[in-house]
């Protein structure tokens, strides 16, 4: 029998982007199922205070009939950004490809919104400069709902 390695976890939180409570399900690697310990294996869209590879606690909720996120135990150091395309007809894949060349993975939600993962060892100021150039041209707006300590430090150095 194949060993189960991942579970879908339900996240319920307030999104500043949507100004509403949202529910998002994401994949997580099982660290210790009995203790409810998992490692996030998805890029969140709406900005809970958690990023990829973070270790967190979840427990089964009878009402939801699902494993539900409770709290982050250990932050790995990755960051999550949200990017909204403002310019009508602008192809978001142009920016996603530029980010990919910087080793930043992203997931699109629709034509105008995508989330970006910035890995811990990346100099965040490079990513921020790229996005700021698009923002100054009013092509996009971006938010930093989950900016790690390491990436905050990168910005202070520059």
């Amino acid at each position: 029998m194949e060993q189960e390695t991942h579970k879908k976890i339900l996240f319920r939180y307030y999104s500043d982007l949507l100004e509403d409570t949202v529910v998002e399900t994401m994949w997580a690697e099982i660290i210790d199922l009995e203790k409810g310990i998992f490692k996030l294996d998805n890029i969140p869209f709406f900005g809970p205070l958690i990023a990829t590879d973070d270790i967190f606690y979840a427990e089964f909720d009878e009402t939801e009939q699902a494993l539900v996120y409770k709290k982050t135990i250990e932050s790995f150091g990755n960051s999550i950004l949200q990017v909204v395309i403002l310019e009508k007809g602008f192809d978001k894949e142009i920016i996603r490809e530029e980010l990919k060349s910087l080793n930043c993975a992203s997931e699109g939600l629709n034509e105008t919104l995508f989330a970006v993962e910035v890995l811990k060892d990346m100099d965040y100021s490079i990513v921020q400069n790229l996005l700021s150039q698009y923002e100054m041209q009013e092509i996009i707006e971006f938010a930093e709902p989950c900016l790690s300590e390491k990436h905050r430090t990168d910005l202070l150095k520059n």
Side-chain angles (χ1 to χ4, degrees):
M1 194 172 105
E2 196 176 307
Q3 182 75 27
E4 189 178 28
T5 60
H6 287 72
K7 287 275 189 196
K8 274 225 172 205
I9 310 291
L10 189 135
F11 289 75
R12 180 183 304 277
Y13 52 89
Y14 185 82
S15 166
D16 290 333
L17 181 70
L18 299 176
E19 297 179 341
D20 201 1
T21 299
V22 296
V23 173
E24 189 172 354
T25 54
M26 293 185 264
W27 286 105
E29 184 182 330
I30 299 167
I31 303 297
D32 187 330
L33 192 55
E34 280 183 29
K35 291 182 180 167
I37 310 295
F38 300 88
K39 180 165 108 174
L40 190 63
D41 199 14
N42 253 144
I43 299 174
F45 279 116
F46 297 114
L49 289 174
I50 190 167
T52 47
D53 296 330
D54 285 358
I55 306 294
F56 67 92
Y57 172 70
E59 64 185 27
F60 188 81
D61 183 294
E62 288 296 331
T63 312
E64 302 282 1
Q65 284 298 299
L67 283 164
V68 177
Y69 165 86
K70 294 298 177 188
K71 67 177 183 187
T72 301
I73 298 169
E74 184 184 335
S75 179
F76 183 74
N78 294 339
S79 293
I80 302 294
L81 311 177
Q82 297 163 331
V83 180
V84 178
I85 306 294
L86 301 175
E87 186 177 292
K88 280 228 181 299
F90 185 85
D91 183 2
K92 73 179 185 312
E93 298 307 316
I94 294 167
I95 299 173
R96 288 184 68 193
E97 281 301 315
E98 285 186 64
L99 288 164
K100 189 176 174 185
S101 74
L102 296 174
N103 201 24
C104 294
S106 64
E107 282 194 33
L109 180 67
N110 54 37
E111 291 305 306
T112 59
L113 176 67
F114 63 96
V116 181
E117 169 194 61
V118 182
L119 297 175
K120 175 173 69 175
D121 55 4
M122 177 75 196
D123 179 348
Y124 179 63
S125 61
I126 295 168
V127 177
Q128 191 188 48
N129 286 341
L130 170 72
L131 294 175
S132 293
Q133 287 172 9
Y134 281 105
E135 198 169 54
M136 284 188 291
Q137 297 171 56
E138 297 182 357
I139 294 171
I140 68 162
E141 269 185 14
F142 74 98
E144 303 162 325
C146 187
L147 197 60
S148 72
E149 260 329 292
K150 192 265 181 201
H151 291 140
R152 288 176 208 275
T153 307
D154 288 348
L155 296 176
L156 295 174
K157 287 185 212 164
N158 294 319

